[in-house]
Amino acid sequence: MSAPPADRPLPLFPVVRIDPRAKLRHLLQTWLFCIAIAVLQYAFEPNKPFLPNLAFSVSIGSFSWAVVDLGRHFFPSSRETGWPDRLPGLVLVLAGIAAGYLGGTSLGDALCRTFGWYGEVAPVHSATDRRSALLITTMAGIVASYYFYSVSRGHYLERQMAEARRHADEARLKLLETQLEPHMLFNTLANLRALIAVDPPRAQRMLDHMIAYLRATLDASRATTHPLQVEFDRVRDYLELMAIRMGPRLSYELDLPQELAQHPVPTLLLQPLVENAIQHGLEPKVEGGRLTVQARSDGGELVVVVSDTGVGLSGPVAQGHGFGLTQVRERLTTLYGPAARLSLDPLPSAPGEGWGGDTHGAQVTIRLPLRTQ
Amino acid sequence: MTSPTAVIAEDEPLLAQALQSELSRAWPQLQVVATVGDGVSAVREALGRKPDVLFFDIRMPGMGGLEAAAQLADDWPAGEAFPALVFVTAYDQYAVQAFEAQAVDYVLKPVQPERLARTVARLKDQLARRQGDDQGLDAAVERLRHLLTAPPTPAAPLKVIQAGVGQGIRMVPVSEVIVFEAADKYVRVLTAAQEYLIRTPLKDLLPQLDPHEFWQVHRGTVVRASAIESVTRDEAGKLHLTLRGRREKLPVSRLYAHLFKAM
């Protein structure tokens, strides 16, 4: 399916592209509907002739159809949804009804007179006749418009869903790609190879962490949530691998209060944040530093803070536009809407640590609704 | 003949250790005189110990292997034999391609004994040929120049520099800029009359500048070509630029000295 890119701006005057086959289909559907109304009218008043009913009904329907079905393409929003939004949509339907009533009754009357469908005596239309014609036109116009509106809306939603599914697949693939970054993989393997020769038990432990890490990454696209404890375990696997690679340059601390351990969180939610902290914060820093992941509850919210004492914020990462952050943010919005938030800040210098306000580093804070189950 | 010496620069301790032990097997005479974990220390140790061989990791904190080698080439005293350079990388397809094209030796991590043996043979050969001349430095500079010149990315040329001044932002037209100079975490932007600091790294700025208008003359310096008044050579053989409208004298790196030749 080749949907147009979502970020293309809509032109001021939309190019009206009308599919003649779809229009013909709509017209035929409208006529069928009109015939049904005429038959219904005839059933209620069998003493009146059928043909005028039909002539009036089809004429009114055709006028309304022309105005509404053709007119709706001249509104900007109709390009996406097939229908204009709100007020323009309402005005269009009212215009269709008015045109149907005024044009349709005149045409129907003219047809009946020309072809003699009234019979011997042409009727003089009473005010009551006109009122009931207007009522029928209005009701039928609204019903038919609603029907066509639902159909186009359905198509639109289907397209949207297909698009969303495509985006999700793309994001999942890209997530996998970043997680299994070749540089990380090959460096870890190189370390593993070195360890096998000098310290086999440690090599074995490293291999176990690596297996857990790879499994978590590959499984992440299947499950949607898991307990926070599991997320912390996966983060620990990754940090263990990095600690072996970076040696004394990396120290880390994970702090998960027992009462939050079983709270469900999206899978691999923290992973990209921890990887960011290592890749952009600590790895480039000559003396390395410390990484902390802390979870706590705060007034009905689960707060998780990932902080590092690395090189601090600069470049596109500083504005929070890195792939990892964008990705986490999008997932949070999809899952929790505005109830979840993510912020990226410079690490505030801790009082009494003697950094003299020169602390570099960054911290990412995630807030999620804490659901008690 | 004294035994050959080497410096290893590798930020991952286990890998440094592994390389050293593989080397001791493949080349027992080679003496590893220093092992360091970042580019800055690598340059310092190399300058201090004048080893015969350098093993530089491509990705290191502070300064990567290529940049460290470039700085070393600049600071290397004239007349001394320049070390043979071997780059070590875990995975970097572009680096590998670049090395293959330029024939500076490289080793892929994890270090395979057979591959290392070939590297050692090549190094011995180079060391034997190198005796007595300082062709080594020129050749190394030539190769580094190619490795460091990234393929030009056709990005839209930058027109305006947005420099934070106090609480606001000053818009500085690029056409007024004379020099971009890397300074710690910042880049100094010099116009004829003013100086601004911006936080965009020089390497991010470079691809956005017109290479005909702006010349890189040093790792940390990019100059408007038309603003260069003269180039002088000092007693040590180093080039310096003087600019129109500014007092500063700017050093020219060995890597970029080829830009300046009398017509």
Side-chain angles (χ1 to χ4, degrees):
Chain A
M1 182 163 198
S2 64
D7 55 351
R8 196 165 63 193
L10 288 170
L12 203 53
F13 299 102
V15 184
V16 180
R17 227 185 286 135
I18 294 173
D19 175 5
R21 286 181 57 189
K23 291 297 135 183
L24 186 65
R25 201 170 56 236
H26 291 171
L27 181 61
L28 290 177
Q29 281 175 311
T30 308
W31 281 353
L32 264 179
F33 187 56
C34 294
I35 292 169
I37 291 174
V39 169
L40 211 60
Q41 269 182 304
Y42 184 65
F44 276 95
E45 292 177 298
N47 54 325
K48 289 189 177 174
F50 174 66
L51 273 180
N53 275 348
L54 186 65
F56 271 82
S57 182
V58 170
S59 306
I60 291 172
S62 305
F63 269 92
S64 296
W65 166 82
V67 170
V68 177
D69 203 23
L70 298 178
R72 65 188 167 107
H73 290 278
F74 291 90
F75 290 89
S77 63
S78 63
R79 240 177 87 137
E80 285 195 329
T81 58
W83 280 81
D85 286 334
R86 285 169 206 167
L87 193 62
L90 195 65
V91 168
L92 186 70
V93 172
L94 289 177
I97 290 167
Y101 175 68
L102 296 173
T105 49
S106 310
L107 180 64
D109 194 43
L111 282 174
C112 290
R113 282 176 203 284
T114 313
F115 296 107
W117 291 336
Y118 284 132
E120 279 97 72
V121 198
V124 178
H125 294 291
S126 66
T128 323
D129 283 343
R130 287 176 206 281
R131 270 208 297 276
S132 70
L134 184 59
L135 182 71
I136 294 174
T137 307
T138 309
M139 304 243 299
I142 289 173
V143 169
S145 298
Y146 184 73
Y147 167 74
F148 286 121
Y149 168 77
S150 322
V151 169
S152 350
R153 180 118 196 117
H155 286 318
Y156 167 66
L157 288 178
E158 254 168 48
R159 276 203 309 277
Q160 290 283 91
M161 257 162 66
E163 178 96 334
R165 210 171 294 137
R166 206 168 48 87
H167 279 310
D169 288 346
E170 236 165 61
R172 206 173 290 147
L173 264 180
K174 211 150 177 202
L175 179 69
L176 203 61
E177 221 173 90
T178 34
Q179 234 97 49
L180 296 181
E181 201 224 341
H183 193 259
M184 145 88 192
L185 214 55
F186 282 100
N187 253 317
T188 308
L189 286 173
N191 272 280
L192 195 55
R193 188 177 183 281
L195 263 189
I196 288 171
V198 293
D199 190 349
R202 206 160 151 232
Q204 215 154 22
R205 280 201 301 280
M206 185 174 189
L207 192 56
D208 288 342
H209 285 300
M210 177 133 182
I211 289 168
Y213 170 79
L214 285 178
R215 184 170 293 139
T217 308
L218 293 169
D219 282 351
S221 46
R222 278 174 235 145
T224 47
T225 61
H226 57 193
L228 192 54
Q229 178 70 59
V230 178
E231 182 69 16
F232 266 68
D233 289 344
R234 295 296 79 83
V235 166
R236 189 184 299 277
D237 284 325
Y238 174 74
L239 287 172
E240 274 300 315
L241 290 178
M242 290 312 296
I244 291 174
R245 287 184 43 194
M246 293 172 66
R249 291 180 54 236
L250 172 67
S251 64
Y252 72 89
E253 187 190 327
L254 300 178
D255 178 14
L256 174 62
Q258 202 46 53
E259 67 271 19
L260 293 174
Q262 293 311 314
H263 192 267
V265 289
T267 51
L268 293 195
L269 182 70
L270 302 178
Q271 191 81 32
L273 305 178
V274 172
E275 284 178 28
N276 265 355
I278 297 263
Q279 239 175 52
H280 302 295
L282 297 175
E283 247 182 343
K285 195 170 184 176
V286 174
E287 63 270 34
R290 183 172 187 76
L291 187 141
T292 353
V293 185
Q294 265 175 320
R296 63 188 152 90
S297 62
D298 177 24
E301 281 186 319
L302 169 66
V303 185
V304 186
V305 184
V306 178
S307 52
D308 67 81
T309 59
V311 293
L313 302 168
S314 71
V317 182
Q319 280 97 51
H321 296 326
F323 176 75
L325 279 182
T326 312
Q327 214 259 332
V328 173
R329 216 175 248 138
E330 271 172 16
R331 283 181 76 194
L332 286 176
T333 314
T334 321
L335 289 166
Y336 302 98
R341 277 160 295 152
L342 180 149
S343 60
L344 170 68
D345 309 289
L347 189 68
S349 35
E353 268 190 39
W355 289 92
D358 197 32
T359 308
H360 296 302
Q363 73 174 27
V364 178
T365 310
I366 291 185
R367 290 173 169 269
L368 308 175
L370 191 59
R371 276 178 299 218
T372 41
Q373 282 162 334
Chain B
M1 187 184 146
T2 55
S3 59
T5 53
V7 166
I8 294 177
E10 163 67 66
D11 63 320
E12 303 196 17
L14 271 173
L15 296 188
Q17 212 181 310
L19 178 61
Q20 188 163 355
S21 66
E22 289 290 347
L23 271 175
S24 68
R25 238 165 285 154
W27 194 356
Q29 298 82 29
L30 184 75
Q31 206 190 329
V32 176
V33 289
T35 305
V36 294
D38 64 282
V40 181
S41 319
V43 172
R44 196 188 54 228
E45 289 300 317
L47 281 173
R49 297 177 188 263
K50 308 258 165 38
D52 301 298
V53 188
L54 299 173
F55 291 92
F56 276 13
D57 186 10
I58 294 286
R59 276 209 209 176
M60 285 187 286
M63 197 195 290
L66 285 172
E67 291 81 17
Q71 185 178 342
L72 193 60
D74 270 342
D75 298 347
W76 198 256
E80 297 247 15
F82 194 70
L85 266 172
V86 178
F87 289 110
V88 188
T89 178
Y91 176 88
D92 201 328
Q93 45 183 331
Y94 303 109
V96 170
Q97 280 164 12
F99 295 143
E100 277 173 347
Q102 290 309 317
V104 172
D105 209 359
Y106 71 94
V107 183
L108 267 182
K109 297 184 229 174
V111 182
Q112 307 287 331
E114 312 82 60
R115 182 65 188 81
L116 194 64
R118 258 191 290 152
T119 303
V120 167
R122 215 179 280 185
L123 285 170
K124 282 178 175 165
D125 191 41
Q126 201 174 329
L127 291 188
R129 271 190 288 120
R130 197 187 63 170
Q131 298 297 325
D133 64 301
D134 65 359
Q135 296 287 302
L137 181 52
D138 289 342
V141 164
E142 183 62 33
R143 286 185 203 129
L144 276 170
R145 190 185 297 145
H146 284 287
L147 290 178
L148 281 164
T149 343
T153 39
L158 197 63
K159 292 261 187 285
V160 177
I161 300 286
Q162 305 191 10
V165 177
Q167 293 298 310
I169 288 177
R170 178 63 71 88
M171 307 296 273
V172 185
V174 170
S175 57
E176 287 178 15
V177 176
I178 296 177
V179 179
F180 291 100
E181 192 177 32
D184 194 18
K185 287 176 82 176
Y186 299 91
V187 168
R188 285 173 70 207
V189 180
L190 307 182
T191 65
Q194 293 290 329
E195 172 178 341
Y196 306 93
L197 282 180
I198 56 173
R199 289 193 63 159
T200 311
L202 194 61
K203 70 171 176 355
D204 292 354
L205 217 51
L206 251 175
Q208 303 180 60
L209 298 174
D210 182 352
H212 298 291
E213 252 182 84
F214 287 98
W215 291 1
Q216 182 164 23
V217 298
H218 198 271
R219 232 170 329 108
T221 323
V222 177
V223 180
R224 171 178 293 284
S226 58
I228 301 171
E229 190 171 63
S230 64
V231 186
T232 50
R233 192 179 289 274
D234 67 10
E235 309 86 69
K238 295 221 163 131
L239 297 181
H240 295 268
L241 300 179
T242 33
L243 301 173
R244 292 187 182 91
R246 302 249 8 152
R247 292 257 187 82
E248 293 93 340
K249 275 200 151 203
L250 302 172
V252 178
S253 155
R254 265 196 179 125
L255 282 176
Y256 305 101
H258 69 290
L259 289 171
F260 304 101
K261 272 182 243 147
M263 288 174 104

